[in-house]
């Protein structure tokens, strides 16, 4: 939930001139050229487009801590390609038609909004999680004194607590710090984040493999049903959340730059 707009804000300043112009062209006027303002749009339209729900996540075999597109990218009915990695590939392909006559068969505004959201989703470790608990959605926990589920802890609670503790409940200051880390502390790693092998435009399989590894190493680790997650969990997991936010933002910008030139 909060992961997407925070990561989306890290994108704007990394777009090439051509990519920035295409994004402005495709965004609805009410967005005022601000892509991050609509990075949660795909969550908002799940009830309008129920077919899209399966595109937000990947279910992997319990305890395996590994991802395979051929094995795991399918919906609950077994339809191949219907997962967040498949959705990223699909909407990337649609956006590659921008400026061509074939673009008329697609709604490229929706393609941009779906792609931006799904690149955020695939970087949240529990959007690539175990099948039996639906990526932590059925694991009841307490986030300090509040009831939550493990998935929501990673989608929102950790970020909200960081805002409250360090940024006066202001997401803008959080984004400034994240951006400074991208250009400072993590700057030497950024080129490797942006790379995409085999001349691909987007590399969702890499992002998914990273996320299930992070889910096993950090999200699931030490958590049982009805666990109370407090300072020790928060302080040790926040760096992982920040890193995935940064990687998602950098990689979305890199993908849009490759799409639009």
């Amino acid at each position: 939930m909060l992961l997407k707009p925070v990561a989306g804000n890290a994108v704007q300043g990394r777009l090439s001139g051509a990519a920035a112009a295409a994004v402005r062209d495709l965004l609805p006027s009410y967005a005022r050229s601000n892509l991050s303002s609509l990075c949660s749009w795909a969550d908002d339209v799940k009830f309008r487009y129920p077919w899209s729900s399966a595109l937000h996540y990947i279910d992997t075999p319990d305890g395996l801590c590994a991802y395979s597109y051929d094995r795991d990218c399918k919906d609950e009915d077994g339809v191949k390609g219907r997962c967040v990695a498949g959705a990223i590939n699909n909407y990337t392909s649609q956006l590659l038609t921008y400026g061509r006559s074939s673009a008329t068969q697609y709604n490229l505004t929706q393609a941009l909004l779906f792609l931006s959201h799904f690149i955020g989703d695939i970087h949240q470790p529990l959007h690539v999680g175990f099948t039996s608990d639906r990526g932590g959605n059925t694991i009841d926990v307490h986030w300090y004194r509040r009831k939550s589920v493990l998935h929501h802890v990673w989608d929102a609670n950790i970020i909200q607590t960081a805002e409250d503790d360090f940024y006066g409940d202001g997401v803008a200051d959080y984004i400034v710090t994240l951006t400074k880390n991208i250009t400072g502390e993590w700057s030497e790693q950024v080129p490797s984040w942006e790379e995409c092998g085999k001349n691909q435009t987007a590399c969702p399989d890499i992002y998914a493999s990273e996320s299930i590894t992070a889910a096993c190493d950090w999200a699931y680790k030490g958590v049982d049903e009805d666990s109370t997650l407090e300072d020790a969990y928060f302080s040790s997991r926040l760096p992982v959340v920040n890193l995935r936010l940064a990687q998602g933002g950098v990689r979305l910008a890199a993908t849009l730059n490759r799409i639009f030139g």
Side-chain angles (χ1 to χ4, degrees), residues 140-160:
D140 293 321
V141 297
H142 281 83
W143 182 247
Y144 294 86
R145 296 184 179 182
R146 293 184 179 181
K147 290 183 177 179
S148 189
V149 296
L150 187 61
H151 186 96
H152 190 71
V153 166
W154 282 78
D155 235 12
N157 292 141
I158 293 175
I159 294 173
Q160 288 170 332

Side-chain angles (χ1 to χ4, degrees), residues 181-210:
N181 287 341
I182 291 170
T183 58
E185 178 183 350
W186 295 323
S187 60
E188 293 185 2
Q189 301 177 54
V190 167
S192 67
W193 298 349
E194 294 175 315
E195 287 179 1
C196 205
K198 300 179 181 178
N199 296 316
Q200 293 174 287
T201 305
C203 288
D205 291 338
I206 294 173
Y207 316 152
S209 293
E210 293 171 347

Side-chain angles (χ1 to χ4, degrees), residues 20 33 36 69 79 145 166 181 191 208 211 235:
S33 301
S36 66
Y69 184 91
V79 179
R145 296 184 179 182
F166 306 127
N181 287 341
S211 279
S235 61

Side-chain angles (χ1 to χ4, degrees), residues 50-232:
W51 51 265
S52 71
S53 293
L55 306 182
H56 290 253
Y57 61 88
I58 297 166
D59 286 335
T60 64
D62 291 2
L64 188 59
C65 299
Y67 157 79
S68 164
Y69 184 91
D70 291 338
R71 181 192 65 213
D72 303 327
C73 190
K74 60 184 183 298
D75 63 17
E76 293 182 349
D77 296 322
V79 179
K80 296 287 188 179
R82 283 185 46 78
C83 78
V84 65
I88 289 171
N89 289 331
N90 176 45
Y91 290 112
T92 297
S93 296
Q94 291 188 25
L95 287 168
L96 284 168
T97 69
Y98 177 76
R100 306 174 190 172
S101 59
S102 56
T104 56
Q105 65 182 300
Y106 302 119
N107 184 327
L108 294 187
T109 294
Q110 290 192 359
L112 173 64
L113 299 184
F114 275 127
L115 178 67
S116 300
H117 183 94
F118 292 146
I119 287 183
D121 272 347
I122 204 170
H123 281 83
Q124 199 269 69
L126 289 176
H127 276 263
V128 189
F130 297 155
T131 300
S132 65
D133 58 52
R134 297 177 175 266
N137 273 297
T138 67
I139 300 177
D140 293 321
V141 297
H142 281 83
W143 182 247
Y144 294 86
R145 296 184 179 182
R146 293 184 179 181
K147 290 183 177 179
S148 189
V149 296
L150 187 61
H151 186 96
H152 190 71
V153 166
W154 282 78
D155 235 12
N157 292 141
I158 293 175
I159 294 173
Q160 288 170 332
T161 300
E163 289 177 8
D164 292 344
D165 285 3
F166 306 127
Y167 304 105
D169 200 27
V171 70
D173 289 339
Y174 194 160
I175 292 161
V176 168
T177 299
L178 194 67
T179 303
K180 285 181 178 177
N181 287 341
I182 291 170
T183 58
E185 178 183 350
W186 295 323
S187 60
E188 293 185 2
Q189 301 177 54
V190 167
S192 67
W193 298 349
E194 294 175 315
E195 287 179 1
C196 205
K198 300 179 181 178
N199 296 316
Q200 293 174 287
T201 305
C203 288
D205 291 338
I206 294 173
Y207 316 152
S209 293
E210 293 171 347
S211 279
I212 187 58
T213 298
C216 288
D217 290 348
W218 297 103
Y220 286 119
K221 193 171 184 178
V223 178
D224 298 308
E225 182 75 9
D226 292 325
S227 288
T228 297
L229 308 178
E230 297 182 297
D231 285 348

